[in-house]
Amino acid sequence: MIEIKITTDSALRLLMERMKFELRLRQKSGMIKYRSHLEDLSFSEAMQLVESSVFDTIFLLPVEIITSQTNLVSIITSTVRALSRVLHKEEFLLFNEKQSRNLIEPIRKFLIQETRANNFLKN
């Protein structure tokens, strides 16, 4: 098992930066009103941003970390829960490890399947 050593505060900063980026993208596409801040969003809108931000951030990790046994699920869970104090939405405290696994598992399965198939040799 590979243990990823990152503090919750550092992971939270990374997630917040990605969420701000996603918010700007959604504002440009008209999905969210301009002049909206993360704190102003409803919980469902904020959760959609969180999920897409976590998904994007996972894809930025090295393949070996995603496909190996790691503590990534617990890191994501604790980071999303920490959003409750930053965004002042207590609903984030209900985020659990099952939800984290549901975000990671499709990426993990895809990468395992693609690396086994040796598709990269045909490039």
Side-chain angles (χ1 to χ4, degrees), residues 63 67-68 105 108-122:
V63 174
T67 58
S68 302
E105 205 54 36
R108 189 174 166 281
K109 285 180 181 178
F110 171 76
L111 290 175
I112 288 172
Q113 178 184 353
E114 289 302 309
T115 55
R116 280 191 191 149
N118 293 328
N119 287 341
F120 60 92
L121 294 176
K122 297 177 184 174

Side-chain angles (χ1 to χ4, degrees), residues 9 27 37 52 59 71 73 77 80-81 87 98 110 112 115 118:
D9 288 335
Q27 287 173 334
H37 299 284
S52 63
F59 262 115
N71 58 337
V73 170
T77 304
V80 173
R81 286 180 181 170
L87 298 180
K98 182 180 179 187
F110 171 76
I112 288 172
T115 55
N118 293 328

